[in-house]
Amino acid sequence: MTPSAAIIIPCWNGEAFLARAIASARAQAYPDLEIVVIDDGSSDGSLAVIEAFAPAVRWASFPNAGASAARNRGLAMTGADYVLFLDADDYLQPGSLPNWVEAAEREGADVVLAPFAFETEGRLTGGPRPARPVTAISVLCGWLEGRYTPPCAVLWRRRFLQGIGGWNAGGWDHWALRNDDGELAMRAMLRGAKVTAAEAGQAVYVQHESPGRISHRADTAVFACELSVLESLWSLAMEEEARALQAVFARAFYRVAYGAYAIGAGETGREALGRARSLGFNGHIGSATHRAASRLLGLRCKMRLVAVLRSALGGRPQGKA
Protein backbone atom coordinates (compact mmCIF):
# COMPACT_ATOMS: atom_id res chain seq x y z
CA MET A 1 0.00 0.00 0.00
CA THR A 2 1.13 3.56 -0.70
CA PRO A 3 2.16 5.31 2.53
CA SER A 4 0.03 8.31 3.38
CA ALA A 5 1.51 11.79 3.54
CA ALA A 6 0.47 15.21 4.78
CA ILE A 7 1.74 18.66 3.91
CA ILE A 8 1.21 21.03 6.84
CA ILE A 9 1.23 24.75 6.09
CA PRO A 10 1.44 27.18 9.03
CA CYS A 11 0.44 30.72 8.12
CA TRP A 12 0.73 34.05 9.86
CA ASN A 13 -0.07 37.04 7.63
CA GLY A 14 1.00 35.16 4.52
CA GLU A 15 -1.72 36.39 2.19
CA ALA A 16 0.77 37.43 -0.51
CA PHE A 17 2.31 33.95 -0.82
CA LEU A 18 -0.16 31.44 0.60
CA ALA A 19 -2.09 30.56 -2.57
CA ARG A 20 1.17 29.59 -4.31
CA ALA A 21 2.19 27.37 -1.39
CA ILE A 22 -1.16 25.57 -1.33
CA ALA A 23 -1.22 25.19 -5.11
CA SER A 24 2.27 23.68 -5.05
CA ALA A 25 1.16 21.18 -2.40
CA ARG A 26 -1.81 20.19 -4.56
CA ALA A 27 0.53 19.69 -7.55
CA GLN A 28 2.49 16.88 -5.90
CA ALA A 29 0.63 14.10 -7.74
CA TYR A 30 0.74 11.91 -4.64
CA PRO A 31 -2.12 9.40 -4.38
CA ASP A 32 -2.66 9.55 -0.60
CA LEU A 33 -2.03 13.15 0.38
CA GLU A 34 -3.83 15.54 2.68
CA ILE A 35 -3.08 19.24 2.97
CA VAL A 36 -3.54 20.88 6.36
CA VAL A 37 -3.37 24.66 6.71
CA ILE A 38 -3.17 26.32 10.12
CA ASP A 39 -3.95 30.02 10.37
CA ASP A 40 -1.92 31.38 13.29
CA GLY A 41 -4.02 34.40 14.11
CA SER A 42 -3.45 36.28 10.85
CA SER A 43 -4.68 39.87 10.62
CA ASP A 44 -4.51 40.10 6.83
CA GLY A 45 -6.54 38.21 4.21
CA SER A 46 -4.89 34.83 4.78
CA LEU A 47 -8.04 33.19 6.10
CA ALA A 48 -9.99 34.11 2.97
CA VAL A 49 -7.26 32.54 0.83
CA ILE A 50 -7.44 29.34 2.87
CA GLU A 51 -11.23 29.17 2.69
CA ALA A 52 -11.09 29.54 -1.10
CA PHE A 53 -9.26 26.19 -1.31
CA ALA A 54 -11.78 24.28 0.82
CA PRO A 55 -12.67 21.43 0.71
CA ALA A 56 -9.40 20.47 -1.02
CA VAL A 57 -7.56 21.41 2.17
CA ARG A 58 -8.31 20.89 5.84
CA TRP A 59 -7.80 23.98 7.93
CA ALA A 60 -8.15 25.49 11.36
CA SER A 61 -7.60 28.96 12.81
CA PHE A 62 -6.16 29.76 16.23
CA PRO A 63 -4.96 32.85 18.11
CA ASN A 64 -1.35 33.67 17.33
CA ALA A 65 1.06 31.37 19.17
CA GLY A 66 4.01 31.12 16.76
CA ALA A 67 5.05 28.85 13.92
CA SER A 68 6.06 25.91 16.11
CA ALA A 69 2.67 25.84 17.85
CA ALA A 70 0.90 26.08 14.49
CA ARG A 71 2.94 23.19 13.12
CA ASN A 72 2.14 21.05 16.17
CA ARG A 73 -1.55 21.82 15.73
CA GLY A 74 -1.36 20.69 12.14
CA LEU A 75 0.56 17.59 13.19
CA ALA A 76 -2.20 16.72 15.66
CA MET A 77 -4.78 16.90 12.86
CA THR A 78 -3.24 14.16 10.73
CA GLY A 79 -2.55 10.48 11.01
CA ALA A 80 -0.42 10.34 7.88
CA ASP A 81 2.68 8.18 7.76
CA TYR A 82 4.85 11.08 6.63
CA VAL A 83 4.58 14.83 7.17
CA LEU A 84 6.25 17.82 5.59
CA PHE A 85 6.03 21.39 6.91
CA LEU A 86 5.72 23.98 4.15
CA ASP A 87 5.91 27.59 5.29
CA ALA A 88 3.32 29.82 3.66
CA ASP A 89 5.95 31.80 1.71
CA ASP A 90 7.75 28.73 0.31
CA TYR A 91 6.67 26.23 -2.34
CA LEU A 92 7.41 22.82 -3.86
CA GLN A 93 8.24 21.96 -7.43
CA PRO A 94 5.60 19.62 -8.94
CA GLY A 95 5.96 15.91 -8.23
CA SER A 96 8.69 16.27 -5.59
CA LEU A 97 6.96 14.58 -2.67
CA PRO A 98 6.70 11.07 -4.22
CA ASN A 99 10.51 10.98 -4.57
CA TRP A 100 10.98 11.90 -0.93
CA VAL A 101 8.52 9.32 0.38
CA GLU A 102 10.18 6.72 -1.83
CA ALA A 103 13.57 7.57 -0.31
CA ALA A 104 12.15 7.25 3.21
CA GLU A 105 10.59 3.89 2.47
CA ARG A 106 13.66 2.55 0.70
CA GLU A 107 16.02 3.50 3.53
CA GLY A 108 13.63 3.05 6.46
CA ALA A 109 14.41 6.66 7.34
CA ASP A 110 12.82 8.84 10.00
CA VAL A 111 14.02 12.01 8.29
CA VAL A 112 14.62 12.74 4.61
CA LEU A 113 16.63 15.79 3.56
CA ALA A 114 15.55 16.85 0.10
CA PRO A 115 17.08 19.10 -2.57
CA PHE A 116 16.15 22.76 -2.25
CA ALA A 117 16.86 26.11 -3.83
CA PHE A 118 16.89 29.66 -2.52
CA GLU A 119 14.64 32.08 -4.40
CA THR A 120 15.75 35.71 -4.27
CA GLU A 121 13.86 38.26 -6.37
CA GLY A 122 12.62 35.48 -8.62
CA ARG A 123 16.03 33.86 -9.16
CA LEU A 124 16.77 30.33 -7.98
CA THR A 125 20.11 29.29 -6.50
CA GLY A 126 20.73 25.71 -5.43
CA GLY A 127 21.01 25.19 -1.68
CA PRO A 128 23.77 23.14 -0.04
CA ARG A 129 23.39 19.39 0.20
CA PRO A 130 24.23 17.41 3.34
CA ALA A 131 27.75 16.01 3.66
CA ARG A 132 28.22 12.39 2.60
CA PRO A 133 27.78 9.86 3.98
CA VAL A 134 24.52 11.17 5.41
CA THR A 135 24.37 10.19 9.07
CA ALA A 136 22.79 11.67 12.17
CA ILE A 137 26.20 12.92 13.32
CA SER A 138 27.15 14.45 9.97
CA VAL A 139 23.80 16.23 9.72
CA LEU A 140 24.05 17.50 13.30
CA CYS A 141 27.59 18.80 12.76
CA GLY A 142 26.56 20.44 9.50
CA TRP A 143 23.65 22.21 11.15
CA LEU A 144 25.84 23.48 13.99
CA GLU A 145 28.21 24.88 11.36
CA GLY A 146 25.42 26.61 9.42
CA ARG A 147 24.71 24.00 6.70
CA TYR A 148 20.99 23.57 7.17
CA THR A 149 17.97 22.29 5.25
CA PRO A 150 14.81 24.42 5.55
CA PRO A 151 11.51 22.86 6.72
CA CYS A 152 10.07 22.80 3.20
CA ALA A 153 12.76 20.24 2.26
CA VAL A 154 12.57 17.96 5.31
CA LEU A 155 10.21 14.98 5.31
CA TRP A 156 9.42 13.39 8.67
CA ARG A 157 8.11 10.02 9.69
CA ARG A 158 5.17 11.18 11.79
CA ARG A 159 5.49 8.60 14.56
CA PHE A 160 9.15 9.41 15.09
CA LEU A 161 8.47 13.14 15.15
CA GLN A 162 5.70 12.77 17.69
CA GLY A 163 7.87 10.39 19.69
CA ILE A 164 10.50 13.10 20.26
CA GLY A 165 7.87 15.66 21.26
CA GLY A 166 7.28 17.46 17.97
CA TRP A 167 8.18 21.12 17.61
CA ASN A 168 9.27 22.88 20.78
CA ALA A 169 6.48 25.44 21.12
CA GLY A 170 6.76 26.15 24.83
CA GLY A 171 10.43 26.33 25.68
CA TRP A 172 11.24 29.77 24.24
CA ASP A 173 9.65 33.06 23.24
CA HIS A 174 8.33 32.37 19.74
CA TRP A 175 9.02 35.96 18.71
CA ALA A 176 12.72 35.49 19.48
CA LEU A 177 13.35 31.91 18.31
CA ARG A 178 14.60 32.19 14.73
CA ASN A 179 15.99 28.66 14.48
CA ASP A 180 13.11 26.48 15.64
CA ASP A 181 13.60 24.14 12.70
CA GLY A 182 17.29 23.78 13.57
CA GLU A 183 16.44 23.00 17.19
CA LEU A 184 14.06 20.26 16.06
CA ALA A 185 16.44 18.79 13.48
CA MET A 186 19.41 18.70 15.85
CA ARG A 187 17.29 17.28 18.66
CA ALA A 188 16.10 14.57 16.26
CA MET A 189 19.66 13.69 15.31
CA LEU A 190 20.65 13.45 18.98
CA ARG A 191 17.63 11.23 19.60
CA GLY A 192 18.90 8.73 17.06
CA ALA A 193 16.96 9.58 13.92
CA LYS A 194 17.77 7.49 10.89
CA VAL A 195 18.36 10.05 8.16
CA THR A 196 18.83 9.90 4.41
CA ALA A 197 18.96 12.31 1.48
CA ALA A 198 16.67 12.31 -1.54
CA GLU A 199 18.15 12.97 -4.95
CA ALA A 200 15.11 14.14 -6.93
CA GLY A 201 12.51 16.87 -6.56
CA GLN A 202 13.03 20.35 -5.18
CA ALA A 203 11.66 22.65 -2.51
CA VAL A 204 11.99 26.41 -2.90
CA TYR A 205 12.96 28.48 0.14
CA VAL A 206 11.91 32.03 -0.62
CA GLN A 207 13.98 34.97 0.59
CA HIS A 208 12.13 38.27 0.93
CA GLU A 209 12.07 41.40 3.03
CA SER A 210 8.79 40.94 4.89
CA PRO A 211 9.13 42.64 8.30
CA GLY A 212 7.47 39.63 9.93
CA ARG A 213 10.35 37.27 9.16
CA ILE A 214 12.06 36.25 12.40
CA SER A 215 15.17 35.30 10.41
CA HIS A 216 15.73 39.04 9.79
CA ARG A 217 15.91 39.86 13.47
CA ALA A 218 19.24 40.32 15.23
CA ASP A 219 18.66 41.69 18.69
CA THR A 220 19.44 40.84 22.30
CA ALA A 221 16.41 38.58 22.74
CA VAL A 222 17.24 36.58 19.61
CA PHE A 223 20.82 35.86 20.64
CA ALA A 224 19.80 35.07 24.22
CA CYS A 225 17.36 32.56 22.77
CA GLU A 226 20.02 31.07 20.49
CA LEU A 227 22.30 30.59 23.47
CA SER A 228 19.51 28.91 25.45
CA VAL A 229 18.73 26.55 22.57
CA LEU A 230 22.39 25.61 22.19
CA GLU A 231 22.71 24.95 25.92
CA SER A 232 19.66 22.69 25.76
CA LEU A 233 21.08 20.73 22.83
CA TRP A 234 24.48 20.36 24.51
CA SER A 235 22.77 19.02 27.64
CA LEU A 236 20.96 16.50 25.45
CA ALA A 237 24.25 15.54 23.78
CA MET A 238 25.77 14.80 27.19
CA GLU A 239 22.67 12.86 28.18
CA GLU A 240 23.05 10.79 25.02
CA GLU A 241 26.77 10.31 25.76
CA ALA A 242 27.76 12.17 22.61
CA ARG A 243 30.80 13.94 24.07
CA ALA A 244 32.64 13.44 20.79
CA LEU A 245 30.59 16.42 19.61
CA GLN A 246 32.21 18.74 22.17
CA ALA A 247 34.48 20.51 19.68
CA VAL A 248 31.74 21.31 17.18
CA PHE A 249 29.45 22.54 19.96
CA ALA A 250 32.25 24.74 21.28
CA ARG A 251 32.60 26.39 17.90
CA ALA A 252 28.83 26.88 17.72
CA PHE A 253 28.90 28.66 21.10
CA TYR A 254 31.68 30.89 19.74
CA ARG A 255 29.51 31.86 16.75
CA VAL A 256 26.70 32.88 19.09
CA ALA A 257 29.19 34.99 21.06
CA TYR A 258 30.41 36.63 17.85
CA GLY A 259 26.88 37.51 16.77
CA ALA A 260 25.87 38.74 20.21
CA TYR A 261 28.92 40.97 20.59
CA ALA A 262 28.35 42.31 17.06
CA ILE A 263 24.99 43.80 18.07
CA GLY A 264 26.10 44.89 21.53
CA ALA A 265 24.52 42.05 23.54
CA GLY A 266 27.50 41.89 25.88
CA GLU A 267 26.06 39.63 28.57
CA THR A 268 24.95 36.98 26.09
CA GLY A 269 28.27 37.26 24.26
CA ARG A 270 30.20 36.80 27.48
CA GLU A 271 28.16 33.74 28.47
CA ALA A 272 28.45 32.15 25.04
CA LEU A 273 32.18 32.77 24.78
CA GLY A 274 32.69 31.41 28.28
CA ARG A 275 30.84 28.27 27.25
CA ALA A 276 33.01 27.88 24.17
CA ARG A 277 36.15 28.24 26.28
CA SER A 278 34.89 25.80 28.91
CA LEU A 279 34.42 23.22 26.14
CA GLY A 280 38.01 23.63 25.02
CA PHE A 281 37.86 26.08 22.10
CA ASN A 282 40.59 28.63 22.72
CA GLY A 283 40.97 30.24 19.32
CA HIS A 284 38.85 32.42 17.05
CA ILE A 285 36.82 31.71 13.91
CA GLY A 286 36.95 34.03 10.92
CA SER A 287 39.42 35.83 8.71
CA ALA A 288 43.10 36.13 9.56
CA THR A 289 42.54 39.79 10.42
CA HIS A 290 39.69 38.96 12.77
CA ARG A 291 41.66 36.19 14.47
CA ALA A 292 44.71 38.40 14.97
CA ALA A 293 42.72 41.37 16.29
CA SER A 294 40.66 39.16 18.59
CA ARG A 295 43.78 37.52 20.02
CA LEU A 296 45.23 40.96 20.71
CA LEU A 297 42.13 42.76 22.00
CA GLY A 298 39.74 39.99 23.00
CA LEU A 299 36.59 39.20 21.04
CA ARG A 300 34.35 41.71 22.82
CA CYS A 301 36.75 44.63 22.41
CA LYS A 302 37.45 43.75 18.80
CA MET A 303 33.73 43.67 17.95
CA ARG A 304 33.13 46.96 19.79
CA LEU A 305 35.97 48.53 17.83
CA VAL A 306 34.46 47.33 14.55
CA ALA A 307 31.08 48.80 15.57
CA VAL A 308 32.69 52.17 16.37
CA LEU A 309 34.55 52.24 13.04
CA ARG A 310 31.43 51.36 11.09
CA SER A 311 29.47 54.06 12.88
CA ALA A 312 32.19 56.60 12.10
CA LEU A 313 32.07 55.61 8.43
CA GLY A 314 28.29 55.92 8.27
CA GLY A 315 27.55 52.22 8.61
CA ARG A 316 29.49 51.24 5.49
CA PRO A 317 30.33 47.52 5.57
CA GLN A 318 33.95 46.74 6.36
CA GLY A 319 34.07 43.32 4.75
CA LYS A 320 33.90 39.98 6.45
CA ALA A 321 35.23 39.74 10.01
Side-chain angles (χ1 to χ4, degrees):
M1 294 180 62
T2 302
S4 56
I7 296 175
I8 297 169
I9 305 175
C11 176
W12 178 72
N13 290 347
E15 177 185 9
F17 307 97
L18 181 56
R20 179 179 63 180
I22 296 174
S24 79
R26 297 185 66 194
Q28 289 310 295
Y30 193 79
D32 192 356
L33 173 66
E34 61 179 336
I35 301 168
V36 179
V37 186
I38 302 297
D39 172 61
D40 186 37
S42 296
S43 58
D44 64 357
S46 294
L47 196 55
V49 174
I50 297 169
E51 291 174 333
F53 280 93
V57 303
R58 298 175 61 200
W59 65 274
S61 183
F62 299 91
N64 178 257
S68 291
R71 291 163 180 150
N72 280 339
R73 284 165 168 162
L75 183 62
M77 289 173 60
T78 182
D81 296 308
Y82 295 99
V83 294
L84 181 134
F85 298 92
L86 177 65
D87 286 351
D89 49 0
D90 299 330
Y91 62 96
L92 306 175
Q93 299 290 16
S96 296
L97 184 65
N99 295 293
W100 304 346
V101 173
E102 180 185 356
E105 288 287 285
R106 183 177 63 249
E107 303 296 333
D110 303 306
V111 181
V112 177
L113 304 180
F116 75 96
F118 296 101
E119 181 182 284
T120 306
E121 297 180 345
R123 297 189 301 273
L124 297 184
T125 305
R129 300 305 311 277
R132 303 305 175 95
V134 181
T135 66
I137 295 300
S138 71
V139 170
L140 173 62
C141 290
W143 225 294
L144 287 169
E145 294 167 355
R147 297 192 306 274
Y148 63 90
T149 302
C152 57
V154 182
L155 182 73
W156 295 87
R157 188 179 299 272
R158 179 184 57 83
R159 287 186 177 178
F160 175 84
L161 178 57
Q162 290 181 322
I164 64 169
W167 295 77
N168 192 326
W172 297 280
D173 175 4
H174 73 268
W175 288 112
L177 180 57
R178 65 179 178 181
N179 191 23
D180 52 354
D181 56 314
E183 187 279 332
L184 175 61
M186 289 186 280
R187 173 160 44 94
M189 298 305 112
L190 288 167
R191 289 297 190 194
K194 184 172 183 182
V195 59
T196 193
E199 301 300 327
Q202 187 179 68
V204 181
Y205 185 44
V206 180
Q207 311 294 291
H208 56 83
E209 297 303 319
S210 170
R213 285 176 66 100
I214 181 63
S215 58
H216 291 167
R217 283 185 57 188
D219 55 35
T220 300
V222 165
F223 282 102
C225 191
E226 289 199 354
L227 176 58
S228 179
V229 167
L230 202 55
E231 288 280 15
S232 176
L233 291 168
W234 173 240
S235 294
L236 179 58
M238 290 189 291
E239 179 184 321
E240 297 292 333
E241 299 183 352
R243 286 191 172 273
L245 295 168
Q246 181 169 319
V248 72
F249 266 96
R251 293 170 69 88
F253 278 111
Y254 179 91
R255 292 186 185 93
V256 173
Y258 180 101
Y261 280 142
I263 59 104
E267 182 177 350
T268 298
R270 178 182 56 77
E271 291 181 13
L273 185 60
R275 201 70 168 107
R277 299 308 190 215
S278 73
L279 293 178
F281 182 70
N282 295 315
H284 296 277
I285 301 170
S287 67
T289 301
H290 168 74
R291 295 197 305 271
S294 297
R295 283 195 300 269
L296 179 65
L297 302 173
L299 179 62
R300 181 176 186 175
C301 289
K302 186 270 179 181
M303 299 306 293
R304 291 177 69 180
L305 177 60
V306 168
V308 169
L309 291 173
R310 286 179 176 171
S311 177
L313 293 171
R316 192 167 67 220
Q318 300 299 299
K320 294 183 180 179

